[in-house]
Amino acid sequence: MGKELLEKKWVIWTLILSITLIWGYAWVAMKASLNFMGPFTFSAFRFGTGALTLLLVVWVMRAGKPPRDMWKHLIVVGMLQTAIVFLLVMYGMQFVNAGKSSVLLYSMPLWSTVFAVKMLGERVTAFKAVGLGIGMVGLLTILGWDVFVVQDAEVIFGEILIVLAAVAWAASNIYYRLKLENVTKLQVSAYQMLFGTIGIVIATIFAEWGDPVKLTGESIFYILFTGVLASALCFTVWFILLSAIDMVTATLSTLLVPVFGLFFGWLILDETLTGGVLIGSGLVIVGIIVAQLKRDRGA
């Protein structure tokens, strides 16, 4: 994609809207896939497809292999960002709506802020503290609604797993900052997904070996959509965008994903948008915006 084209704002925002729409709908596909196979099995199919596609992109773009001394760090990131995150998310989604799941996972920037303070020495400024506080209140609003109103132990268990996935994602971001900043983003994405997929396959063999798998036109569509489009293609476009826009704009644009996740979950899966989910989701988004905007001011 030419640099001249990327200098046009309408092109940038068309790409951002496209990938966030795809990522938002991916939550519906992930939820619906559970009607055809186990959560780990689907993740193995999805990220196996995504990893192969990304490795093909690496070959076509002649990005080469990462240095061998970086492989151990890529394995760590792959385990955290791909294996642990999506094993927890997919297992948790057996009990939690797609829209709510997307909001809980995209609380990741809040946890990244906590880890950045502890591990990267970033200062806790007033705006960052306020943003973190608002976001945490949002999470507690969502979880509290289910604890005191819904009172479904399985739902609460699933939500905790997805919050833990957000924590693992945040940890992988910090680890990347510490160990892999000198490796190209495309190499990191492709190889961490490859190593993460290996971890998922091992977990699938132990947890779901022999479980029924229904490979129909619909289930194959979900695998290809999430593997090729939501994983490989969107991440490739995302890395291109990161070279054309500032990090804060990029990060804030990802907040469209849980918005679309909630919308598609309501529209396609008939998921109920309770007051607790709507209020809590709004607080999470506001909290992340406050924290990210402060980061842009050099705090």
Side-chain angles (χ1 to χ4, degrees):
M1 190 171 293
K3 291 184 179 180
E4 294 181 0
L5 193 60
L6 284 174
E7 290 176 355
K8 298 179 180 179
K9 287 187 176 180
W10 70 268
V11 173
I12 294 292
W13 285 104
T14 298
L15 289 174
I16 287 174
L17 183 62
S18 297
I19 65 174
T20 51
L21 271 169
I22 291 172
W23 279 339
Y25 177 76
W27 286 92
V28 171
M30 290 158 62
K31 181 71 173 181
S33 72
L34 297 174
N35 296 320
F36 301 92
M37 63 194 76
F40 294 177
T41 302
F42 173 76
S43 296
F45 277 125
R46 171 189 176 176
F47 288 105
T49 303
L52 289 174
T53 305
L54 272 176
L55 289 172
L56 179 61
V57 172
V58 168
W59 179 73
V60 170
M61 297 182 68
R62 298 180 180 179
K65 295 180 181 178
R68 283 198 174 274
D69 61 340
M70 293 290 105
W71 282 40
K72 59 185 178 182
H73 302 308
L74 288 166
I75 291 173
V76 172
V77 171
M79 291 302 107
L80 285 172
Q81 184 170 317
T82 295
I84 292 176
V85 168
F86 284 95
L87 288 174
L88 290 174
V89 165
M90 288 303 299
Y91 195 85
M93 283 187 73
Q94 295 177 105
F95 318 110
V96 184
N97 290 345
K100 191 191 297 184
S101 298
S102 67
V103 174
L104 294 175
L105 184 64
Y106 275 83
S107 67
M108 174 273 296
L110 301 176
W111 305 109
S112 290
T113 299
V114 174
F115 289 148
V117 171
K118 294 292 185 181
M119 303 179 69
L120 300 180
E122 293 189 6
R123 292 191 304 115
V124 182
T125 63
F127 278 99
K128 188 170 291 187
V130 169
L132 184 61
I134 293 173
M136 292 301 180
V137 169
L139 283 178
L140 291 175
T141 300
I142 295 174
L143 297 174
W145 180 273
D146 289 330
V147 170
F148 297 110
V149 179
V150 179
Q151 295 183 333
D152 188 323
E154 286 189 339
V155 170
I156 297 168
F157 174 67
E159 290 173 348
I160 291 173
L161 291 181
I162 296 170
V163 171
L164 289 175
V167 173
W169 186 6
S172 76
N173 291 339
I174 300 302
Y175 193 88
Y176 167 79
R177 287 271 302 274
L178 291 171
K179 303 294 185 180
L180 288 167
E181 278 202 319
N182 294 327
V183 182
T184 66
K185 291 183 174 66
L186 183 56
Q187 286 178 331
V188 171
S189 182
Y191 284 88
Q192 70 82 17
M193 191 175 293
L194 172 64
F195 294 130
T197 299
I198 294 172
I200 290 173
V201 169
I202 293 172
T204 303
I205 291 173
F206 279 99
E208 295 179 359
W209 184 262
D211 288 0
V213 176
K214 299 177 183 177
L215 289 178
T216 66
E218 185 177 354
S219 64
I220 291 172
F221 166 76
Y222 295 142
I223 291 169
L224 293 178
F225 183 91
T226 56
V228 177
L229 289 182
S231 298
L233 177 63
C234 283
F235 276 117
T236 301
V237 173
W238 178 249
F239 292 141
I240 293 173
L241 285 172
L242 287 177
S243 67
I245 59 178
D246 64 274
M247 182 61 70
V248 171
T249 300
T251 305
L252 291 177
S253 69
T254 64
L255 296 182
L256 290 170
V257 177
V259 173
F260 288 138
L262 286 167
F263 173 72
F264 286 131
W266 167 78
L267 180 67
I268 299 172
L269 301 179
D270 294 323
E271 294 181 350
T272 302
L273 297 179
T274 64
V277 170
L278 291 173
I279 294 171
S281 300
L283 289 172
V284 169
I285 291 172
V286 170
I288 294 172
I289 288 174
V290 172
Q292 293 296 322
L293 289 178
K294 182 54 187 170
R295 188 179 302 167
D296 188 42
R297 294 174 187 176

